[in-house]
Amino acid sequence: MDLSLAGDKKRPRRSSRARAPSTVGSFQHDILCTIFSFLDCFDLASCSVVCKSWSAIINKSKLLQLFYRKQWQTGLFGSSNWSKECPEKSWNDYLEEMAVERHRLALQEGRIRVDHLRGHSVGGEQCRTKMGLLLTGVGDKVMRLWSLESYKCVGEYPIPDRFRLVDFDFDESKIVGLVGTRICIWRQNGISRIFPSHEGTFSKGLCMRYCDPEAVVGCEDGTVRVFDMYSRKCSQIVRAHEGPVKCLCLSDDQLILSGSSLGDVTLSALSSGERVVKLRSQDSSGIKTLCFNPCSHQVFAGTATGYGLCWDLRMGLLWKTRVSQNSVYSMQHQRNDASTLAVGGIDGVLRLLNQNTGEVISRCILDGYLSPSSQNTLGATQRTRGRRLSEDTTIDSILRSCRPPITCLAVGMKKVITTHNSKYIRIWKFDRS
């Protein structure tokens, strides 16, 4: 009887508690709507993935839609028709469109700050960036993984002394390296290294790209070899070129793009190894770097004599531009950006090109000097400015200290990362605000 009465007494208290969150929740909803209304679209997008309740508030109040309407009305997206396009696109598509446009404007018009990160004791020659992370290495027998937000080293991956690191790539769980004549795997969450069996050995690899589950290696004998990371076997040997394969890139639709020292570019099917098409550069000096833009179906190449080339896979050669008087070592673009191409090479000038015409939009160099005493510690950073050169400035008149050779570059949102075969990694940040 007492238990029954106790139970009866508790029921109204539970009911009153159940009503309280409704009032508080409504109050919190109004406060959050007010706060969210002061944020820009990218902050709103970040808030929308914090939790389900925040996502519901942002989506139900149509804050993203209102923000995009304002951007459209100010002409940020040219002649886009709001009423016709709005129902057909997801808001993620609009956010991506705005982000890419801001990236383009920042690279072409923004002021430049350069963060100098001491990443290696000697010879940081190559870099790759994905998912807010930066992987660097080659000279000092260790690869390092950095956070691009904090510049903290989040992983170190040593190379065995008897092997030379030729090339590397990574994804969210592993580092894959071309080490000597073998493929090597490092797990990001551990220190173990996995060396493949003798079937992973080949004569001499010059470059490598990785897309799970395959590592693709360009070889000195003109072949491209495809290795399955799980079976540890060579699954394909593609007879791509007559001369050494100097550079590679992979497309999302299972194509291997390879450039040779003889100046031609070949597209081959990853699944069958069959050659699909051969692109000729008419430059026998050799292809030094390649990249592919799936948005525009365009292939970009840089040559040893300083030319930049672009082919549209549907139309053929679009343009050929003398970018530099010296060799072009690296060219890249931000994913989904069909406007701007970053190019670097032996003369140390960071160039920004129009992807559709080959026009050099801007030439950038370092401006200012580093303090040697502040750069003695691994991971130490120092900030200087960068500047854009006027059209009539001759490259030879600029001090070499302001333009160390760019051996490799990677492109992130409103930033370009460069390596210079030295202990410094440079992060060029472009900002219009």
Side-chain angles (χ1 to χ4, degrees), residues 209-227:
R209 286 295 179 269
Y210 169 71
C211 182
D212 192 58
E214 286 126 348
V216 181
V217 178
C219 300
E220 192 175 43
D221 61 3
T223 62
V224 174
R225 298 172 185 248
V226 182
F227 294 90

Side-chain angles (χ1 to χ4, degrees), residues 221-270:
D221 61 3
T223 62
V224 174
R225 298 172 185 248
V226 182
F227 294 90
D228 185 278
M229 292 287 94
Y230 297 105
S231 67
R232 302 186 189 179
K233 293 181 179 180
C234 180
S235 59
Q236 291 284 350
I237 299 179
V238 182
R239 304 290 175 182
H241 301 276
E242 297 297 324
V245 178
K246 304 292 288 186
C247 52
L248 288 168
C249 67
L250 305 178
S251 75
D252 294 337
D253 52 354
Q254 299 287 295
L255 285 178
I256 304 171
L257 293 85
S258 57
S260 83
S261 61
L262 301 180
D264 53 359
V265 176
T266 295
L267 280 73
S268 308
L270 182 59

Side-chain angles (χ1 to χ4, degrees), residues 60 135 154 163 189 194 201-202 240 306 329 362-364 412:
K60 288 180 180 179
L135 183 64
V154 297
F163 295 113
N189 57 0
I194 304 172
T201 304
F202 41 89
Y329 285 155
S362 188
R363 300 180 298 167
C364 309

Side-chain angles (χ1 to χ4, degrees), residues 373-412:
S373 60
S374 65
Q375 289 284 306
N376 293 329
T377 306
L378 189 70
T381 59
Q382 186 178 160
R383 176 168 291 180
T384 63
R385 296 186 305 274
R387 65 184 174 94
R388 302 178 191 269
L389 300 177
S390 61
E391 292 184 5
D392 58 352
T393 302
T394 58
I395 302 301
D396 291 338
S397 66
I398 302 169
L399 293 174
R400 291 295 299 180
S401 60
C402 295
R403 50 182 188 93
I406 297 173
T407 57
C408 187
L409 61 80
V411 180

Side-chain angles (χ1 to χ4, degrees), residues 22 28 56 58 100 185 205 210-211 213 224 286 293 336 344 355 364:
S22 175
Q28 290 177 340
I58 291 172
V100 169
I185 302 173
Y210 169 71
C211 182
V224 174
N293 192 334
N336 297 329
Q355 289 189 29
C364 309

Side-chain angles (χ1 to χ4, degrees), residues 61-115:
S61 58
K62 298 185 178 181
L63 290 170
L64 286 174
Q65 291 93 321
L66 291 172
F67 188 93
Y68 186 86
R69 184 188 289 272
K70 290 178 182 178
Q71 298 295 308
W72 173 79
Q73 289 173 343
T74 58
L76 180 60
F77 301 107
S79 60
S80 296
N81 190 316
W82 168 266
S83 60
K84 290 183 179 179
E85 291 187 11
C86 180
E88 300 173 3
K89 288 186 178 181
S90 72
W91 292 111
N92 285 338
D93 291 336
Y94 283 120
L95 286 171
E96 183 176 292
E97 187 178 344
M98 283 189 282
V100 169
E101 180 65 9
R102 288 189 176 189
H103 168 79
R104 181 188 72 82
L105 293 173
L107 261 59
Q108 295 182 9
E109 303 173 5
R111 60 190 179 92
I112 307 170
R113 297 172 297 160
V114 184
D115 290 336

